[in-house]
Structure formats: structure tokens, C-alpha cells
Amino acid sequence: LMIQHDEFKGAEQMLHVALRLAQQTQNSDGITYVHDLLANVAFTQGELDKAEILFKDVMQRVLSQGTPQDDLKIIHMSLKLAKIYEQKHDWPKAEEGYKFCMKHLDKQVQGSEDEDVLMLWGMTLDWYARFLHEQNRLDEAFTNYKKAYEMCVRLNGEVHEQTVILLNDLGTISFLRGDNDNAILYMTKAVETGRHLPNMADFSSVYVNLGNIYIQKEMYDEAQKNCREGQKNAKRHKNEEGMKEATICLEELKNFLKK
């Protein structure tokens, strides 16, 4: 419950008490369970070294009990380890981890209606796409974002925050690939979808991104309209970062109009 409410320090203290009890009673499953929770707390808090050690320990324990490598528990931990390696800039290990997850999930997802499998597949596609994006491997990133988007729509429907985020990502990648027309299509769809999500706190970024693409296309009226919408949205959500982005967009637009 504490973990769900982001009370990480309190949760960690309680888990250490639970761990001592499990160790005293030599409860192997209990130790594994607590280590898993501690690993996730560390992961969420960005304590990468601690999370890595704990996840590896849990994985070793689970595998030693005869759990196969393609078990969802193993894949989920492997995915988090891949993210840890990515955050530690250990690119080869990160890629190896993502590919391990992709390989095993690819087999399981075929014809599957298991929501846990599909959700983990979508999450893996998303995280791997972001990794590829960071590596400037844009074509591969686009392919994985597209699959992640399709899976997100399948699981959550079109009107969902994650759908908007992935449409924004597809638009961004399209723009970086020099495909401004498709960038506008994806971003416009993200905007249209996001309008149905009034509580989406960082939605202003989508407007601003679309505005910036319109600037590059020299479609200044559209650019201004979207940057202003982004500004209004950010103001409504008290989103300082969004306000800053919108202001920069409008300033840039002014500079273009002066030329």
C-alpha cells in the first residue's frame, strides 16, 4: 500500500523488517518476494545499482526453482534490467536485454489474448523504441513505436493518454526522419485524441510539437494556433515546463516572421 502511495522510504523500512523475519524463519519464498519488492522500490527511485543487484538476485532465485526463462516474471525483470543498463549507458547490455524480452514475448504474443502478455509486449516495444530513439536508430525506433501504438490501441482503445504519447512519438520520429507530412498527421491525431482527455497534464507538449513542425513547414498561422493552444493548456494545468515550451515556440515563430 505504501508503495502504491509513493511512500518509498516507509515502504523500504517495512520491507526490511519483513526481510529479517523471512530470513529468521528461513522462508525462501518470502525472501524472494521481499527482494522483488525492494528491487522495484529501488528501480522506481532511480537507485540503479541497488535495483540491479536485487533484480539479479530475485531472478537467480526464481530460475533456481525451475522457472523457465520465458516466464513472464523473468521477462519483466529482464526488461527492468535492460532499462537499468540503458540508464547506466551500458548500451550493449541494454540492447541484449531488450532483445531477450522481444524474442521470448514474440513467441507468446502470437494469437494470444492474455492481457498480461500483451501489456508486457506493449511495454517492451515502447521501452525498446525509446532506447532506439536515443541511439538515433530512427527507422527501427519508428517500427517499434508503431507496434507499441497498435498494441496500446488494442489494449486501451484510441482515447487513452498512452495512445496520445505514442502518436506524439511517431510524429516526432517522422519529423526527425524528414517526413514532415506524416509527422503532421500523427501529431494532429495526437491532438484530436488528447482533446478528449482533459486531465492529461502534459498534453501541451503535443500542441507545441505540432506547432514546431508547422514552423518548419512555414505554415505560420497553424504554428501560432497550436503553440497558443499549448500555452493555454499548460496554463490550465499549471505546467511550468509546458509554458516554457510554448513560449519558446511562440518566440521562435516571431523570429521567423521577422525574416
Side-chain angles (χ1 to χ4, degrees), residues 177-230:
R177 292 163 89 201
D179 185 358
N180 287 349
D181 291 338
N182 268 320
I184 286 171
L185 284 175
Y186 284 121
M187 289 292 185
T188 302
K189 193 171 182 183
V191 163
E192 287 166 357
T193 306
R195 283 189 186 128
H196 299 286
L197 298 161
N199 297 323
M200 187 170 176
D202 52 359
F203 181 49
S204 61
S205 293
V206 183
Y207 278 116
V208 172
N209 288 341
L210 182 53
N212 280 317
I213 294 167
Y214 276 127
I215 289 173
Q216 298 305 315
K217 290 272 287 181
E218 298 182 3
M219 296 168 70
Y220 299 128
D221 288 345
E222 287 296 323
Q224 188 171 59
K225 186 178 87 176
N226 280 282
C227 289
R228 282 196 173 143
E229 282 296 328

Side-chain angles (χ1 to χ4, degrees), residues 135-154:
Q135 298 291 305
N136 207 33
R137 290 157 62 182
L138 301 180
D139 292 347
E140 292 170 87
F142 182 85
T143 301
N144 283 279
Y145 274 134
K146 190 94 190 295
K147 287 179 184 174
Y149 164 72
E150 286 161 1
M151 184 52 66
C152 185
V153 171
R154 180 176 165 184

Side-chain angles (χ1 to χ4, degrees), residues 54-70:
L54 285 163
F55 276 129
K56 281 179 175 175
D57 174 75
V58 175
M59 204 181 285
Q60 209 168 14
R61 285 171 171 276
V62 172
L63 287 168
S64 71
Q65 291 173 342
T67 304
Q69 280 201 338
D70 62 356

Side-chain angles (χ1 to χ4, degrees), residues 13 43 46 53 63 72 111 126 141 152 173 185 208 210-211 221 259:
Q13 285 165 3
F43 179 77
I53 290 163
L63 287 168
L72 288 192
D126 184 8
C152 185
I173 292 286
L185 284 175
V208 172
L210 182 53
D221 288 345
K259 288 178 183 177

